[in-house]
Amino acid sequence: NNTKVQYRLKPVDLSDRAWNAMCDMNKSIVLEGEVKGNVSKFQGGGKGKKRARGGNGNNNNPHYNNNNNHRPNNNNNNNPNKSQWRINGWKNFEKFIQDHPPYDMVIDGANVGYYEQNFANSPKHVDYKQIDWVVRHLLESDGGTHRIVLFLHERHFSPRLAPDWAFSLFRAWDSREDRPAYDYRRLTVYRTPGGMNDDWYWMHAALVNGARKKDEGGSTSSSSVLAITNDEMRDHHFQMSAQGSFLRWKERHQVHFDFGAWNRDLRRRDVLLTYPKSYSRRIQRVDCCNDDDGGDGGDGGGEAIVIPLPKRGDEGRFADGTHVAEEGVPEEETYVVIQRVI
């Protein structure tokens, strides 16, 4: 019998336990500075040399409108009780997440703003226009249904760093007005406090509202909160204490971005987003899905175990960030199928 049997890969979601563990580890990193039992040099989510803590951001900026740009309270960087300062800041953030309407997109603003900005005489500030291009692209996509939380460190709103022209953009982000093609009412900007790693915030926002939830029928399904970032987060503590869960989360919830040519109609560069695939390249049990047999596993079909083989570009799938694809590894996806024969 030479009938070909087809199998359809499925998304492999995280378990409730994995979701909760990742949220707890993220919180522990912020409040304790470490995950117990983790001895990696990367623990703490460090990003290298820390910038000096600034003042209170844009509090003294007469051009700034703070109606919708959420700024945490009790952000006293001179507080001698550092632990309590962190706890207060995190409690404010958790309350913000709890009180905020449902959202389906979080944006790593610094990663978008610093993209391709490493050139001679580049400005010290992020490219606010690039951030706005991504925001507007999402607001105008999919019938205008996305609800977005943009995370950006408070220093990027300071008059000491941001150019004068950027403050009109900040006010537009905060505006509740309905403007044709520039309706920012489904955008919330969260300004992460000084002395804190903004990665903790946008990632936690994606995790806590992206966990598996039970519907009225009691079944669980994975919420589709996606994170817009090109940051592979190789130095993040998840990779050292929950490697498998972290990589599976990235595979299912990270959206990569790029910018195309200038679009004269939109008056901005095209935004190119690479969404997660509808399936997971993971070892998994699958069922036959032949069209000619109705998917009942006839003609030698039925259950099978599918094992993905390495392909070019798989380096990012490994926690240590050091794996390099061997010469001759194909660009296309290939699999080994172990078929169950009854």
Side-chain angles (χ1 to χ4, degrees), residues 70 89-100 190:
H70 186 87
W90 193 254
K91 284 183 177 179
N92 290 331
F93 172 61
E94 288 185 317
K95 187 177 188 306
F96 161 79
I97 293 296
Q98 181 179 354
D99 296 343
H100 195 279
Y190 191 94

Side-chain angles (χ1 to χ4, degrees), residues 55-73:
N56 290 325
N58 49 48
N59 269 4
N60 298 322
N61 177 17
H63 304 292
Y64 185 72
N65 181 339
N66 196 33
N67 290 338
N68 185 54
N69 189 313
H70 186 87
R71 184 180 187 279
N73 296 321

Side-chain angles (χ1 to χ4, degrees), residues 281-329:
R281 288 191 64 239
R282 301 285 167 184
I283 298 175
Q284 57 183 276
R285 187 186 302 274
V286 294
D287 297 319
C288 175
C289 62
N290 278 12
D291 293 335
D292 57 355
D293 63 19
D296 61 359
D299 296 329
E303 291 185 348
I305 300 296
V306 175
I307 304 172
L309 298 178
K311 76 177 186 70
R312 196 173 305 172
D314 268 354
E315 300 93 294
R317 291 166 57 86
F318 294 86
D320 60 11
T322 61
H323 175 81
V324 178
E326 299 177 356
E327 290 291 335
V329 174

Side-chain angles (χ1 to χ4, degrees), residues 62-332:
H63 304 292
Y64 185 72
N65 181 339
N66 196 33
N67 290 338
N68 185 54
N69 189 313
H70 186 87
R71 184 180 187 279
N73 296 321
N74 299 324
N75 181 23
N76 183 1
N77 290 339
N78 297 318
N79 190 338
N81 190 335
K82 184 177 180 180
S83 296
Q84 190 58 47
W85 166 74
R86 284 178 174 270
I87 292 172
N88 290 344
W90 193 254
K91 284 183 177 179
N92 290 331
F93 172 61
E94 288 185 317
K95 187 177 188 306
F96 161 79
I97 293 296
Q98 181 179 354
D99 296 343
H100 195 279
Y103 53 86
D104 65 325
M105 292 281 184
V106 298
I107 300 176
D108 179 1
N111 187 259
V112 175
Y114 280 127
Y115 182 67
E116 294 186 339
Q117 297 304 298
N118 187 19
F119 54 86
N121 300 320
S122 60
K124 294 182 179 180
H125 58 77
V126 296
D127 190 325
Y128 300 97
K129 292 181 180 179
Q130 285 188 169
I131 299 174
D132 189 56
W133 294 341
V134 172
V135 167
R136 287 162 56 184
H137 175 83
L138 291 174
L139 290 174
E140 297 164 7
S141 300
D142 299 322
T145 59
H146 291 305
R147 292 190 175 273
I148 307 163
V149 182
L150 166 64
F151 288 86
L152 196 59
H153 197 280
E154 67 173 1
R155 69 175 177 273
H156 296 298
F157 297 92
S158 169
R160 291 173 297 179
L161 185 62
D164 290 340
W165 62 262
F167 292 99
S168 61
L169 181 59
F170 300 159
R171 289 192 295 270
W173 286 348
D174 295 336
S175 175
R176 301 298 85 195
E177 298 178 7
D178 182 5
R179 304 179 184 181
Y182 299 99
D183 183 359
Y184 290 102
R185 290 180 298 174
R186 286 176 286 106
L187 168 71
T188 301
V189 182
Y190 191 94
R191 299 167 65 234
T192 58
M196 302 287 270
N197 186 337
D198 51 355
D199 287 347
W200 297 330
Y201 286 81
W202 65 257
M203 188 177 295
H204 198 78
L207 287 171
V208 73
N209 273 2
R212 292 159 58 87
K213 303 183 184 300
K214 289 187 177 181
D215 58 25
E216 295 180 357
S219 60
T220 59
S221 60
S222 183
S223 178
S224 56
V225 176
L226 301 177
I228 313 293
T229 181
N230 286 342
D231 187 353
E232 296 302 331
M233 299 160 276
R234 291 187 176 92
D235 61 347
H236 200 278
H237 62 278
F238 286 163
Q239 300 191 48
M240 303 301 156
S241 54
Q243 293 96 327
S245 296
F246 176 74
L247 293 175
R248 284 167 62 185
W249 174 80
K250 279 180 54 179
E251 183 181 49
R252 301 295 306 143
H253 295 270
Q254 182 178 12
V255 178
H256 292 87
F257 67 88
D258 199 355
F259 297 102
W262 182 262
N263 188 316
R264 289 186 295 178
D265 294 332
L266 297 177
R267 302 174 71 176
R268 65 174 187 258
R269 290 179 66 183
D270 287 325
V271 176
L272 311 175
L273 300 180
T274 303
Y275 285 86
K277 295 180 179 179
S278 59
Y279 59 90
S280 299
R281 288 191 64 239
R282 301 285 167 184
I283 298 175
Q284 57 183 276
R285 187 186 302 274
V286 294
D287 297 319
C288 175
C289 62
N290 278 12
D291 293 335
D292 57 355
D293 63 19
D296 61 359
D299 296 329
E303 291 185 348
I305 300 296
V306 175
I307 304 172
L309 298 178
K311 76 177 186 70
R312 196 173 305 172
D314 268 354
E315 300 93 294
R317 291 166 57 86
F318 294 86
D320 60 11
T322 61
H323 175 81
V324 178
E326 299 177 356
E327 290 291 335
V329 174
E331 294 185 7
E332 65 274 8

